[in-house]
Amino acid sequence: IVNSLLRLQSSEIKDEKVVSMFEDAQNRVVSMALLHDNLYRVEELNQIDMSQHFRLLSGDLIKTYWVGKTIDMDIEIGQLDIGVKTMVPLGLINNEMITNSVKYAFPDREKGKIFLSLHQLEGRLHELIIGDDGIGLADDGLKESDVNLGTELVAIFTEQLEGHITRLPQPGTVYSIIFRKIDDN
């Protein structure tokens, strides 16, 4: 319902920047709706296939922002026991990072690769490695002009997961997010 309302409202807007903001909001709503849809289909939270969930979410984002390029996804997710309190912010981080990759990482290429790896480290600690093999950021990283609602949301959700984010020194733009499972179990 929320997504439909946003779509209806944005259809009346002529400013491309504002329309893009509405599309981003719609994708955030779809990300949360997909997770909740998966939750209603299983009897126990630990039965959610995390790999399938992130594949569906990522595939939807690539289709939404399709820019006439071939974007391959490489997703590697181990067996995890995390619940909805952790999955929601994690899914939203994924949403923001993949959206940025699809929109900005491959301006002069017909092909690109986005990858995501999620595994447990020890105890309640987990690591998400997410990135692309695109043009990357300048050596000095994010500039103030690069910070937008998406990057602010990633920082907020990482903090919500009691985590920290680090840009990895490799080609493209790749981040490691070490976070704590915040579910009660």
Side-chain angles (χ1 to χ4, degrees):
I1 292 170
V2 172
N3 201 26
S4 295
L5 290 170
L6 288 169
R7 187 178 9 238
L8 283 171
Q9 187 69 44
S10 69
S11 68
E12 300 174 12
I13 299 170
K14 303 298 181 225
D15 185 331
E16 290 296 320
K17 185 175 181 181
V18 175
V19 169
S20 177
M21 291 169 62
F22 269 89
E23 289 172 350
D24 289 345
Q26 286 174 261
N27 286 325
R28 291 178 183 114
V29 170
V30 168
S31 174
M32 289 183 283
L34 179 62
L35 174 60
H36 285 93
D37 185 52
N38 283 335
L39 291 173
Y40 285 117
R41 293 175 191 247
V42 297
E43 291 179 25
E44 300 207 20
L45 292 179
N46 63 356
Q47 293 176 341
I48 292 177
D49 184 338
M50 295 283 294
S51 181
Q52 179 185 9
H53 172 72
F54 281 105
R55 283 182 200 286
L56 289 172
L57 179 60
S58 303
D60 284 349
L61 288 168
I62 289 170
K63 284 181 208 166
T64 298
Y65 289 107
W66 187 80
V67 288
K69 301 172 189 305
T70 301
I71 299 176
D72 295 324
M73 285 296 306
D74 182 6
I75 297 177
E76 182 183 310
I77 298 178
Q79 188 68 14
L80 301 172
D81 178 27
I82 58 176
V84 70
K85 280 177 92 175
T86 302
M87 286 179 65
V88 168
L90 196 57
L92 291 168
I93 288 170
N94 179 64
N95 183 76
E96 299 304 324
M97 298 293 249
I98 290 182
T99 297
N100 279 343
S101 290
V102 172
K103 288 170 80 173
Y104 306 115
F106 314 109
D108 299 324
R109 293 178 25 200
E110 294 300 313
K111 238 183 139 170
K113 185 175 188 175
I114 297 174
F115 42 88
L116 179 149
S117 169
L118 178 60
H119 57 277
Q120 185 171 354
L121 296 175
E122 57 183 46
R124 297 174 76 84
L125 288 180
H126 294 73
E127 181 179 35
L128 169 67
I129 296 175
I130 188 165
D132 58 64
D133 68 349
I135 60 172
L137 295 171
D139 288 337
D140 54 353
L142 286 176
K143 299 176 204 52
E144 191 171 326
S145 61
D146 294 330
V147 175
N148 57 31
L149 179 59
T151 54
E152 289 178 18
L153 287 173
V154 168
I156 290 168
F157 295 133
T158 300
E159 185 176 303
Q160 184 178 349
L161 292 171
E162 301 174 15
H164 65 276
I165 184 168
T166 306
R167 182 169 164 229
L168 300 177
Q170 60 190 71
T173 304
V174 183
Y175 292 95
S176 166
I177 301 175
I178 307 285
F179 66 94
R180 184 174 305 280
K181 175 179 134 178
I182 58 173
D183 303 290
D184 295 332
N185 61 347

